[in-house]
């Protein structure tokens, strides 16, 4: 039996795509060993980055637009990997408090997807949303609402992603 060239191409592309999943969260990188160029080579360019006064760096890797994970990569001043954290987690969300700045929220959980940002003029409120997997392994949104004038957190809430089939939150299981 002979495979058509289209089917063969589909199989090859699928294999390449699946092999790329191994580096999705940087699982092949080693703390204390892997360097910044290796991080970028494995995970791609960061969506955001911050350099700390001591020369260490933090890189944000949101895996959207429909992804439910954001990874924060921490590098020492020597540019060696210290750790990689998944940040769209309940324990991290609990750290977001009223009065925090937008910059503080970004450093905790990374940037929201551009299509998940809205400004409400009547309330002078800026809303950012992140898609994540909740405790029941279904998709939900974390909403952080900012006073747009001051740029500080006004409130934080969660809601189910009801954009699934028949209005049911999609599962996070793969």
């Amino acid at each position: 039996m002979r495979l058509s060239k289209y089917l063969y191409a589909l199989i090859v592309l699928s294999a390449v795509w699946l092999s790329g999943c191994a580096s999705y969260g940087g699982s092949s990188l080693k703390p204390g060993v892997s360097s910044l160029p290796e991080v970028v080579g494995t995970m791609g360019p960061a969506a955001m980055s911050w350099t700390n006064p001591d020369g260490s760096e933090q890189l944000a890797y949101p895996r959207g637009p429909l992804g439910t994970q954001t990874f924060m990569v921490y590098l020492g001043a020597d540019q060696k990997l210290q750790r990689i954290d998944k940040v769209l987690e309940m324990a991290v969300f609990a750290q977001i408090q009223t009065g925090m700045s937008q910059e503080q929220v970004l450093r905790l959980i990374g940037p929201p997807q551009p299509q998940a940002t809205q400004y409400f003029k009547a309330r002078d409120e800026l809303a950012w949303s992140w898609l994540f997997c909740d405790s029941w392994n279904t998709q939900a949104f974390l909403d952080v609402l900012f006073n747009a004038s001051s740029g500080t957190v006004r409130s934080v809430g969660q809601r189910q992603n009801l954009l699934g089939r028949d209005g049911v939150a999609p599962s996070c299981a793969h």
Side-chain angles (χ1 to χ4, degrees), residues 63-76:
R63 299 306 192 191
L66 299 176
T68 57
Q69 297 176 356
T70 293
F71 297 94
M72 285 292 177
V73 174
Y74 298 90
L75 301 162

Side-chain angles (χ1 to χ4, degrees), residues 31-120:
V33 176
S34 299
S35 64
L36 175 60
E38 290 171 301
V39 169
V40 173
T42 300
M43 297 181 73
M48 298 184 86
S49 64
W50 300 269
T51 302
N52 300 313
D54 67 357
S56 61
E57 289 187 60
Q58 178 181 348
L59 310 173
Y61 285 93
R63 299 306 192 191
L66 299 176
T68 57
Q69 297 176 356
T70 293
F71 297 94
M72 285 292 177
V73 174
Y74 298 90
L75 301 162
D78 62 356
Q79 297 294 288
K80 296 290 183 188
L81 176 66
Q82 293 178 330
R83 70 183 192 279
I84 300 174
D85 295 340
K86 284 176 62 173
V87 295
L88 298 183
E89 305 282 337
M90 299 303 288
V92 180
F93 299 161
Q95 297 174 41
I96 302 171
Q97 302 296 316
T98 301
M100 287 178 73
S101 70
Q102 291 176 359
E103 184 69 17
Q104 289 171 309
V105 172
L106 289 171
R107 285 197 74 155
L108 273 178
I109 59 176
Q113 294 301 321
Q115 71 274 14
T117 300
Q118 268 188 302
Y119 173 69
F120 299 99

Side-chain angles (χ1 to χ4, degrees), residues 111-120 125-130 144 146:
Q113 294 301 321
Q115 71 274 14
T117 300
Q118 268 188 302
Y119 173 69
F120 299 99
E125 190 169 68
L126 179 63
W128 289 354
S129 296
W130 290 260
V144 179
F146 297 91

